[in-house]
Amino acid sequence: MEFIQNYINGELVPPTGGCYIDNYEPATGKVYSQIPDSDEEDVNQAVDAANKAYEGWKNLTIEQRHDYLIRISELISQRSDEFALAESKDNGKPYKLAQRVDIPRAVSNFKFYATAIMNWSSEANHIAEKAINYTLRQPLGAVGCISPWNLPLYLFSWKIAPALATGNTVVAKPSEITPYTAFLLSKICIEAGLPPGVLNIVHGLGTKAGEAIIQHKGIKAISFTGGTKTGAHIASVVAPKFKKMSLELGGKNPNIIFADCNYELMLKTTVNSSFSNQGQICLCGSRIFVEASIYQKFKKDFVEAVEKLKLGDPNDSDSKIGAVVSKPHMEKILSYIELAKQEGGVILTGGGQVSLPGRCAEGYFISPTVIEGLDYQCRTNQEEIFGPVVTITPFYTEEEALTMANSTEYGLASSIWTENITRATRMAEKIEAGIVWINCWLLRDLRTPFGGVKNSGLGREGGTEALEFFTEPKNVCIQYGH
Ligand code: NDP
């Protein structure tokens, strides 16, 4: 049995209390490693190390910080197969998906911010013949980065890379449900020669290790991705301490399909946007609204396409649907399917747990589920399920589609499918979401602002938004020509 270790002050160390938590492989339902059950003492040590390393790290030249981040990205890239296998084993996602999406995107996060910091400049303003203002962008100090289990390394690195690039030191906590690639990252940082204390990774429970990070006086900012309820708790702790915070939270994203769309492209993409990563991507479209004139055709074609998705062992190269992340999460998803039935929903395909033969017999598999016949205001259509479950609903007018799309407390992402660009841009203005995809989904450009409105979060990540979050602007005004 392997024992994952914390990464504190440049070393792999066991938790000070000596306690560990079982780490399960979702595809088999079996424990395969042990995670440090870190507590306040481990976090104190990590924060001390981060604060001690801060002066040295922030005073490096941007070229030196760039070189470290590039080295880390290269080392992950060289071992991408090992990382992809680990991510798949830890999370239940198909190995092929981790190899194609999660790991390359983690590599590009480090590469992007290594380069972005080299090309970033701050503002200067001139008052003619009188004064010059220039703005210094200074790092914050030791910052906390807390991430969820659905895209483990991808989202972990999305925070860590800009924090380090801008000269902060970091205490990070991955989800205790999927810690393994963060552990591999610690080893990579040691190999890359990252100075001790610059990045510290503390494993353990959110309510214990995570709580100690957000409460700690030595942590100057919190960058958090996770559920809305946890985000609200973090805000209540962090706001009165006047720490900066960035919150990327839940979603219940609408996918609006008009009759004049590019049908083949829409159908293929909608299958992906519904069920990639078993529907456990915060950006998945879980409420599909279809113009009434093509509703019956869409329903038939969509269900047919979904039924062709191969559910199987994440190790098999042809598996498109793997296991959901944990037993409690599987039970939560199944309870929502039951709720949908009670609310009058009709299950068009899927609808339950699937038992696989062989090594995956005890795994957490749910067949991709499509439901129709539900009111847009019912709980199934309002609450985040975060699994392979979507609802389909017809609409007659643009206004009706907008009313239904905007009816939830969330506002993360949305998709619009139409060849009428005037309508698409009109809808884009009116949709309450931080991200609008027109005729596409999950098309990534790291320069763009990423985040949600309403209960989907506060602040933005990505591009210069992240560089700004991890720095404090200080204006300097020089008067001349007295
Ligand atoms: P959680 O909110 O349960 O957990 C997220 C992280 O916060 C985990 O590392 C967790 O630790 C930690 N945590 C929990 N409680 C505390 C606390 N009191 N103090 C500090 N840290 C704490 O979310 P999930 O992991 O279940 O992730 C799924 C959610 O994430 C979904 O709602 C999804 O929509 C959202 N998400 C949002 C994204 C976005 O960009 N907007 C992207 C991806 C996911 P542990 O798990 O170890 O207990």
Side-chain angles (χ1 to χ4, degrees), residues 141-155:
V143 299
C145 298
I146 300 175
S147 57
W149 47 257
N150 62 328
L151 302 165
L153 188 68
Y154 172 2
L155 293 178

Side-chain angles (χ1 to χ4, degrees), residues 122-436:
S122 57
E123 278 188 13
N125 295 291
H126 185 211
I127 305 170
E129 296 178 20
K130 187 162 182 178
I132 293 172
N133 284 283
Y134 65 90
T135 308
L136 292 175
R137 279 269 167 196
Q138 296 175 312
L140 309 172
V143 299
C145 298
I146 300 175
S147 57
W149 47 257
N150 62 328
L151 302 165
L153 188 68
Y154 172 2
L155 293 178
F156 202 51
S157 53
W158 183 229
K159 297 178 179 308
I160 290 171
L164 294 181
T166 42
N168 302 279
T169 53
V170 174
V171 176
K173 194 196 88 64
S175 170
E176 122 266 348
I177 301 166
T178 52
Y180 204 88
T181 46
F183 178 47
L184 290 181
L185 176 65
S186 328
K187 295 183 180 177
I188 293 273
C189 290
I190 293 171
E191 194 176 336
L194 192 70
V198 167
L199 172 63
N200 304 275
I201 299 175
V202 183
H203 296 273
L205 298 170
T207 46
K208 200 162 151 188
E211 188 71 24
I213 295 173
I214 61 170
Q215 296 277 3
H216 205 292
K217 279 201 185 101
I219 291 287
K220 298 291 183 286
I222 296 291
S223 174
F224 170 79
T225 300
T228 294
K229 206 167 149 214
T230 317
H233 168 72
I234 290 179
S236 75
V237 171
V238 168
K241 298 183 193 298
F242 304 108
K243 296 181 188 191
K244 265 183 132 174
M245 66 179 151
S246 161
L247 304 174
E248 299 294 340
L249 310 176
K252 187 76 179 175
N253 308 312
N255 184 358
I256 303 171
I257 299 166
F258 287 94
D260 68 350
C261 67
N262 176 334
Y263 191 82
E264 290 311 311
L265 179 64
M266 174 281 296
L267 190 64
K268 189 167 163 252
T269 312
T270 300
V271 172
N272 276 334
S273 67
S274 303
F275 298 113
S276 278
N277 206 35
Q278 298 70 249
Q280 302 164 134
I281 300 180
C282 53
L283 306 168
C284 277
S286 52
R287 295 176 298 145
I288 305 174
F289 301 110
V290 187
E291 194 163 5
S293 59
I294 59 161
Y295 181 79
Q296 293 303 332
K297 176 176 168 48
F298 172 82
K299 173 170 133 180
K300 179 174 166 293
D301 294 343
F302 184 60
V303 167
E304 245 175 59
V306 171
E307 286 177 347
K308 283 194 190 129
L309 291 171
K310 166 119 192 312
L311 182 149
D313 187 331
N315 287 344
D316 293 346
S317 57
D318 59 345
S319 291
K320 293 281 185 289
I321 304 283
V324 299
V325 78
S326 68
K327 192 156 186 256
H329 192 57
M330 176 176 73
E331 282 160 3
K332 176 191 152 185
I333 297 167
L334 293 173
S335 77
Y336 269 102
I337 296 174
E338 281 313 305
L339 173 71
K341 289 184 201 161
Q342 285 162 24
E343 290 184 319
V346 176
I347 311 289
L348 298 173
T349 186
Q353 189 181 354
V354 177
S355 291
L356 294 179
R359 85 172 197 107
C360 294
E362 305 295 316
Y364 316 134
F365 294 87
I366 296 180
S367 55
T369 300
V370 182
I371 307 171
E372 73 165 352
L374 286 169
D375 186 88
Y376 75 95
Q377 287 174 310
C378 72
R379 280 184 56 207
T380 309
N381 268 329
Q382 293 290 316
E383 296 175 16
E384 186 183 44
I385 301 173
F386 214 53
V389 180
V390 297
T391 62
I392 60 172
T393 309
F395 70 85
Y396 290 87
T397 64
E398 216 175 285
E399 289 67 32
E400 188 190 8
L402 268 173
T403 302
M404 294 195 287
N406 288 341
S407 67
T408 74
E409 64 182 28
Y410 296 106
L412 186 54
S414 56
S415 298
I416 301 167
W417 289 91
T418 173
E419 292 294 287
N420 179 342
I421 198 68
T422 307
R423 169 159 62 197
T425 48
R426 187 167 59 227
M427 296 283 288
E429 275 182 41
K430 292 182 182 164
I431 279 198
E432 294 166 0
I435 299 159
V436 183

